[in-house]
DNA sequence: CGGTATCCCCGGCGATACTG
DNA sequence: CAGTATCGCCGGGGATACCG
């Protein structure tokens, strides 16, 4: 066995780096908000509490599974609150918490940059895609 | 067959909604910056131009394929510029464009929120995970 | 040095059917 | 009404090997 191979050392470094990445707050946040449905749910909830079914209708393309999964994730992170009213047919409302609302400005910043610059990005893409040869 | 089934109408609505989502600037931006390596590359490049190999070493856990793929995507979007110096062994530098630099404040906003609030999020997670029964 | 091309595998997304 | 459980598929991610 003798010396550890370069591959082994690299492997080791990689594992550590992955662990480091997983612990990075920015990455954690990006992982959360980059989820396909999170942004939609957040902005839907920005206007006030909504029931499960209402969210499903507003968001339209979401399956019950993904909606629940998204909601659970957000609840777990303390960004939304799940409030159950035990009436005859149960009624469940979801609402942004204080923490969840504090995230809205960030979402707005993202939206703002996107609206101001995405046309440039799209132009760059078009140009890039249209360049088959010659500088 | 007569009437279109509810499933068909739902399908239709979903396709349209997906198209709408795909066109949403915020979603496009999120799709880009939420990429595992994009944030790393951007912040690495924030300090000035770097060579391909340097990026690979700084970022550590990245495979050549992913590094190239990330770089190409960013170049295509006009966020980084690829500069080739045709010396004997080729030399390639990557550098943020003006557009790319304009994105840095947004990244900082994300980082800032994360650093200020992720401990609350993690606390919420711990509490959530520790709640097996009773309110 | 700076990539490209290929293969494989895993995880996540969505659809469906069913329950309290 | 508000979910949960299960299945299948598809695509992206990483490792590896190889070119200019």
């Amino acid at each position: 066995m003798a010396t550890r191979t370069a591959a082994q050392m690299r492997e080791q470094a990689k594992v550590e780096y992955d662990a480091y990445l997983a612990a990075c707050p920015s990455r954690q946040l990006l992982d959360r908000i980059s989820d396909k449905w999170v942004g939609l749910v957040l902005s839907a909830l920005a206007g006030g509490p909504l029931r499960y079914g209402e969210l499903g209708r507003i968001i339209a393309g979401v399956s019950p599974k993904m909606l629940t999964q998204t909601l659970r994730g957000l609840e777990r992170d303390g960004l939304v609150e799940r409030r159950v009213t035990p009436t005859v047919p149960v009624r469940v409302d979801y609402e942004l918490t204080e923490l969840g609302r504090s995230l809205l400005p960030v979402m707005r910043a993202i939206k703002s940059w996107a609206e101001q610059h995405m046309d440039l990005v799209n132009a760059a893409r078009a140009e890039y895609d249209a360049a088959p040869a010659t500088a």
Side-chain angles (χ1 to χ4, degrees), chain A:
Chain A
M1 351 5 231
T3 52
R4 321 305 158 269
T5 66
Q8 280 175 320
M9 296 192 58
R10 209 182 127 67
E11 171 84 13
Q12 171 72 5
K14 174 156 202 347
V15 169
E16 283 167 13
Y17 201 75
D18 276 357
Y20 165 71
L21 267 190
C24 172
S26 305
R27 262 254 57 78
Q28 290 181 20
L29 178 57
L30 279 173
D31 281 345
R32 180 127 302 306
I33 66 176
S34 70
D35 184 281
K36 186 175 178 185
W37 303 111
V38 165
L40 282 317
V41 170
L42 253 30
S43 62
L45 253 28
L50 288 173
R51 303 181 58 173
Y52 181 87
E54 290 177 319
L55 278 170
R57 251 170 293 110
I58 291 174
I59 297 184
V62 70
S63 68
K65 177 190 167 183
M66 290 317 295
L67 184 54
T68 299
Q69 187 172 303
T70 304
L71 256 8
R72 282 295 188 288
L74 291 173
E75 187 195 359
R76 187 171 104 100
D77 287 353
L79 297 174
V80 306
E81 187 188 348
R82 180 171 179 268
R83 189 165 298 169
V84 182
T85 313
T87 48
V88 183
V90 243
R91 176 199 174 99
V92 183
D93 289 272
Y94 290 91
E95 176 176 18
L96 289 182
T97 62
E98 184 61 31
L99 190 57
R101 277 190 295 275
S102 78
L103 188 51
L104 293 177
V106 177
M107 299 302 288
R108 258 185 267 118
I110 292 171
K111 187 180 176 217
S112 174
W113 191 95
E115 288 174 346
Q116 287 174 34
H117 302 283
M118 278 315 279
D119 54 344
L120 285 176
V121 170
N122 284 129
R125 283 183 187 174
E127 188 180 350
Y128 184 93
D129 292 345
T134 32

